[in-house]
Amino acid sequence: MVLTAITVAVAYYDLGPLNTIVALSIAVTKATLVILYFMHVRYSPSLTKLVVAGSFLWLFILLSITMSDYVSRGW
Amino acid sequence: MSDTPSAAHPAHLAHHFDTVEQQRESSSLWMLVFLSQEVMFFGGLFLAYLVYRSSYPAAFAEASHHLDVVLGGINTVILIASSLTMALAVYCAQTGKRNLLVMFLLATMLLGLAFLGIKAVEYHHKYVDKLIPGVAFSYPGPNAQHAQLFFSLYFAMTGMHALHMVIGFGLLIWLVNDARKGRFTPEYHSHIEIFGLYWHFVDIVWIFLFPLLYLIGLHGVPGGGH
């Protein structure tokens, strides 16, 4: 419950003029807290953890390989 | 093995599971598998956003100014609060507090409705400002075409997110009804638990949408035109 209070507090900090990296780090932190505590993944069996990790692994592959193409194009 | 309910095999335990705990873990696991494909679904939209934003950073930062940061921020707080009430609802289901469960589910519904209401107000602002992509799109600044791309993505991403909220709201009506009848017990409340997972997922999507769509134009971008 203390951690949920922190997530809400972090949401207020987002309202300031922050750069993209800080804003995204806060978003990742918030998402991680929601996944670990609200969704109880922290206290789940390892098979559940594997599925959650797997979904983000595929998302990472999707984003990183496509972007490595776009940022390395010469035009 | 007979089908008559017993202490070892109660009525709410489907016959292909050995224990109640196994049944519960299984339902949560498959909800997360479903959510994994939802991650890929929204991932595609985020990817489209990333590609176009890296191609036209200035136009995107400028177009982002036309979104209401205050309304978006309020919605972020509302949604996180609704995730909190949902987490509390799951806790009440686990401990068998029926009245509190109904109360927290109703609170989640109310917060979800507030979110959608504010979203509707925002969409109306875009309509009045002629910022909805299409023939009526009219953009005051330069880079109008690239800004239209931003608004296409804005409506696609927030629209799909809002659709998930509407579906969640519908499911909540059903859950509240069942909870009032006392269908959920500490031993059997998988519906509440996996709906909680879904609701938190929708919250997470918004956690990323908000900074990406609303906050990118707040700090000066070189050549951002302001």
Side-chain angles (χ1 to χ4, degrees):
Chain A
M1 289 306 108
V2 174
L3 280 153
T4 56
I6 295 170
T7 34
V8 175
V10 169
Y12 281 107
Y13 277 109
D14 262 359
L15 296 170
L18 299 164
N19 65 44
T20 312
I21 293 167
V22 172
L24 275 184
S25 317
I26 291 174
V28 170
T29 313
K30 279 197 283 190
T32 310
L33 289 176
V34 170
I35 290 169
L36 287 182
Y37 296 99
F38 279 1
M39 294 169 100
H40 301 291
V41 167
R42 182 148 189 215
Y43 312 104
S44 298
S46 39
L47 185 61
T48 309
K49 286 178 185 147
L50 188 70
V51 168
V52 175
S55 77
F56 285 104
L57 173 71
W58 285 107
L59 181 67
F60 173 74
I61 292 173
L62 173 77
L63 297 180
S64 61
I65 294 185
T66 313
M67 286 321 287
S68 68
D69 175 14
Y70 272 94
V71 297
S72 59
R73 286 188 187 185
W75 67 91
Chain B
M1 185 178 218
S2 75
D3 276 350
T4 44
S6 65
H9 210 104
H12 55 75
L13 177 60
H15 66 59
H16 51 278
F17 290 113
D18 288 336
T19 61
V20 173
E21 195 185 2
Q22 186 193 31
Q23 175 172 267
R24 210 189 57 230
E25 282 176 5
S26 173
S27 60
S28 291
L29 177 67
W30 294 110
M31 190 60 191
L32 284 165
V33 170
F34 166 72
L35 292 180
S36 296
Q37 68 82 27
E38 289 270 75
V39 166
M40 295 313 282
F41 170 74
F42 277 100
L45 289 169
F46 278 108
L47 178 64
Y49 168 88
L50 214 58
V51 166
Y52 284 117
R53 186 183 159 190
S54 67
S55 305
Y56 316 113
F60 267 48
E62 203 186 300
S64 164
H65 277 284
H66 295 266
L67 301 185
D68 195 324
V69 180
V70 175
L71 287 183
I74 291 172
N75 257 354
T76 309
V77 175
I78 287 178
L79 211 53
I80 290 178
S82 84
S83 247
L84 174 64
T85 55
M86 193 58 223
L88 290 169
V90 172
Y91 174 75
C92 290
Q94 282 166 349
T95 49
K97 297 190 175 81
R98 184 168 136 193
N99 290 335
L100 272 176
L101 168 65
V102 172
M103 210 189 79
F104 280 124
L105 286 177
L106 284 173
T108 310
M109 269 175 98
L110 205 67
L111 290 164
L113 202 63
F115 178 93
L116 287 170
I118 290 178
K119 202 77 233 157
V121 169
E122 281 191 78
Y123 278 0
H124 180 69
H125 287 170
K126 304 290 169 299
Y127 173 74
V128 171
D129 295 343
K130 295 193 188 307
L131 289 174
I132 296 178
V135 281
F137 186 79
S138 125
Y139 189 69
N143 305 322
Q145 268 208 310
H146 298 157
Q148 192 168 6
L149 261 178
F150 174 85
F151 285 106
S152 299
L153 284 165
Y154 166 78
F155 279 107
M157 294 167 99
T158 59
M160 280 320 297
H161 179 262
L163 180 65
H164 278 77
M165 296 281 298
V166 171
I167 293 169
F169 188 79
L171 291 171
L172 268 172
I173 295 174
W174 173 58
L175 287 180
V176 166
N177 196 32
D178 274 2
R180 279 182 55 213
K181 288 180 193 151
R183 227 193 109 190
F184 303 116
T185 60
E187 292 79 35
Y188 183 66
H189 53 270
S190 289
H191 295 74
I192 303 279
E193 219 168 83
I194 65 174
F195 176 79
L197 293 178
Y198 173 86
W199 194 255
H200 298 318
F201 167 81
V202 174
D203 182 28
I204 289 171
V205 171
W206 181 260
I207 283 175
F208 284 101
L209 283 181
F210 175 62
L212 287 177
L213 293 172
Y214 289 77
L215 300 179
I216 58 168
L218 283 186
H219 54 100
V221 172
H226 53 87

